Amino acid sequence: MKFIYLFFYTNTFINFLSFNLSPFLIYLISFFLVLMLCAIINQTPLNGEGVYVLRQCLQVIIVGALFQRVLCNSTVSEVKKSKKFFIIVLTLPSLVILLQSIDLFGLKPLMDKLYSPVYFLETLEQRAGYRVTSVFKDSFIASVYLIVAYSTILNIHLVTKSSKADGVIGLLALFVIFVSAFKVGRTALVFIPLVTLIVLYINRQTVGIIKTINYTALLILILITSVVLFAVFTSSNSESFEWVSELLNIFNPEGFSSYNVMHDMNEDVLAYVYNNPYILLLPLNYTPDSYFQAHMYSDNFYMQELLRYGIYGLASYFLFLYSLLKHNYIMGVWFNLVIIVLLALLNYKGGNTFLLAKASLIYPFVFLYSHYFYREKEHG
């Protein structure tokens, strides 16, 4: 009862509707109706994966509502002081990655025991030593987290006034996050340099042309230094080096890459839907095990939704996505728009990036901090 009282106290629940969390409420309601409809059509219980998504959505709403209340009751100086701790907290999973990769002070066995990755098609032993996942269950979730964390720290560094000490902390955090990406996933290695340029571009007027050029040069230097350090400390014959080198094959039709594998998977799913168009209106309500049994698995979130919930699931998702984009476009919070589009693109490769286990809990902080600093910049 105390928790319920806290959640509704002084219109906290109503207040969150005015910001980025209202689309999550829309998705919670609409997706629940989709689950009910699919269960009725297939005469089965609610899809377990779907129930998990609802739980994640509810967690994001609650965390966001409570954090917004904290922001509303904080002074400007208190919020500015908190950004340093926010940056440090965002960097902690990357520090766990380094401890999982390097046996520093004998902590590696402890880290491996605390956080065990989950791989569907390979055993842990096959990837041990060259892919780790930090506090997350798999490397894709870890990659998404690293991309969002890196983008957020860079944006905060650019749009807020910082002391030299805070500036050094921010740059070190960016360096640590990108270095850790070499042990997690190629997705992060591809998108972090891309998002660096985008965030610098959208903040060019705030930072100024000269500083933008200087930051661009500095961040490029950080990225190059990270690559050099990886090459120096990693044997060219190691699995880790070979795995990262596969990035060169990403668009090579003859080479092996996750992009080519996903492309083949998606073609199989689309061919199945083309030959069985009824599933668009009478979805299969599949679980992950069912995908494998039917040989129709795809990492692509959109393909998964099509098989599981037909047009109803995609309609619910795109309504949610439209709501997020519309609100942030109206408010003019360009960084949030970048993150939203980025997560939508990353859904090409994995599960619903907006509601990933653990990683999604940082989104309320990311969106709310970004909105807060934007408002503060606009109003001086």
Side-chain angles (χ1 to χ4, degrees):
M1 290 302 294
K2 289 183 179 179
F3 178 80
I4 295 174
Y5 179 76
L6 177 64
F7 185 58
F8 285 97
Y9 181 64
T10 61
N11 293 322
T12 300
F13 183 75
I14 296 174
N15 287 338
F16 90 84
L17 292 175
S18 64
F19 192 62
N20 281 289
L21 297 170
S22 55
F24 284 91
L25 180 64
I26 292 172
Y27 191 55
L28 181 71
I29 295 171
S30 63
F31 189 63
F32 174 71
L33 294 175
V34 169
L35 290 185
M36 291 289 291
L37 177 62
C38 292
I40 293 171
I41 291 173
N42 290 274
Q43 296 184 339
T44 59
L46 293 179
N47 188 292
E49 287 289 308
V51 173
Y52 176 79
V53 169
L54 291 178
R55 189 189 76 177
Q56 290 295 115
C57 193
L58 185 60
Q59 287 178 342
V60 170
I61 290 172
I62 293 173
V63 170
L66 294 176
F67 181 59
Q68 178 161 308
R69 175 169 170 73
V70 170
L71 276 182
C72 291
N73 293 331
S74 301
T75 64
V76 174
S77 62
E78 287 174 337
V79 175
K80 286 184 176 180
K81 288 179 181 178
S82 71
K83 73 176 184 180
K84 180 197 303 182
F85 299 102
F86 182 52
I87 289 172
I88 293 172
V89 169
L90 285 177
T91 312
L92 289 179
S94 289
L95 295 177
V96 171
I97 290 169
L98 297 181
L99 290 175
Q100 289 174 322
S101 306
I102 306 169
D103 193 9
L104 190 64
F105 306 120
L107 292 175
K108 186 178 186 306
L110 175 61
M111 292 296 107
D112 291 339
K113 190 173 182 179
L114 288 175
Y115 306 111
S116 299
V118 176
Y119 300 115
F120 289 110
L121 301 178
E122 299 173 279
T123 63
L124 178 59
E125 289 74 18
Q126 285 177 283
R127 293 195 182 188
Y130 78 99
R131 287 191 79 174
V132 295
T133 61
S134 186
V135 300
F136 308 101
K137 75 169 187 175
D138 60 47
S139 53
F140 177 72
I141 297 177
S143 291
V144 172
Y145 175 88
L146 293 181
I147 296 167
V148 175
Y150 182 97
S151 309
T152 302
I153 293 171
L154 176 58
N155 187 64
I156 290 175
H157 186 77
L158 293 175
V159 301
T160 62
K161 294 181 180 179
S162 304
S163 64
K164 288 186 178 180
D166 288 347
V168 170
I169 290 173
L171 291 175
L172 281 175
L174 295 175
F175 176 72
V176 169
I177 290 174
F178 188 66
V179 167
S180 68
F182 282 92
K183 299 296 291 185
V184 174
R186 293 184 291 258
T187 301
L189 293 176
V190 170
F191 277 92
I192 284 179
L194 175 63
V195 84
T196 297
L197 297 176
I198 294 173
V199 173
L200 283 168
Y201 178 78
I202 65 174
N203 288 300
R204 67 193 185 283
Q205 292 182 338
T206 302
V207 177
I209 299 299
I210 301 300
K211 283 189 176 181
T212 299
I213 293 173
N214 291 337
Y215 276 127
T216 302
L218 180 59
L219 290 169
I220 290 175
L221 179 62
I222 288 175
L223 299 181
I224 292 175
T225 303
S226 303
V227 174
V228 171
L229 287 175
F230 174 78
V232 169
F233 290 102
T234 306
S235 169
S236 59
N237 297 322
S238 69
E239 291 178 300
S240 186
F241 191 90
E242 180 182 347
W243 168 74
V244 172
S245 300
E246 285 179 7
L247 273 174
L248 300 176
N249 292 325
I250 187 168
F251 294 118
N252 179 5
E254 303 299 326
F256 176 82
S257 72
S258 55
Y259 176 84
N260 293 332
V261 171
M262 285 188 298
H263 179 74
D264 294 339
M265 287 179 173
N266 295 339
E267 283 191 339
D268 291 342
V269 172
L270 290 174
Y272 180 84
V273 173
Y274 179 80
N275 293 320
N276 303 275
Y278 67 89
I279 70 169
L280 295 175
L281 297 175
L282 300 172
L284 301 174
N285 206 24
Y286 267 178
T287 63
D289 290 338
S290 302
Y291 286 134
F292 285 114
Q293 291 169 7
H295 303 289
M296 287 190 302
Y297 179 77
S298 172
D299 276 342
N300 187 309
F301 166 74
Y302 302 105
M303 297 298 106
Q304 293 174 13
E305 289 293 279
L306 202 60
L307 289 175
R308 252 194 305 239
Y309 312 117
I311 61 172
Y312 314 115
L314 288 178
S316 175
Y317 168 79
F318 282 116
L319 175 63
F320 161 70
L321 186 60
Y322 170 77
S323 301
L324 272 177
L325 289 170
K326 180 182 177 182
H327 181 83
N328 284 280
Y329 178 76
I330 292 173
M331 297 299 297
V333 188
W334 290 101
F335 175 74
N336 286 353
L337 287 170
V338 169
I339 293 298
I340 294 164
V341 172
L342 180 65
L343 292 175
L345 289 174
L346 289 171
N347 272 336
Y348 178 83
K349 186 176 180 182
N352 191 342
T353 52
F354 290 95
L355 295 168
L356 294 173
K358 295 183 181 178
S360 61
L361 293 179
I362 70 166
Y363 298 158
F365 299 93
V366 170
F367 288 145
L368 287 164
Y369 262 117
S370 176
H371 182 263
Y372 183 92
F373 291 131
Y374 167 78
R375 290 279 301 275
E376 194 223 340
K377 181 183 71 174
E378 287 295 301
H379 298 289

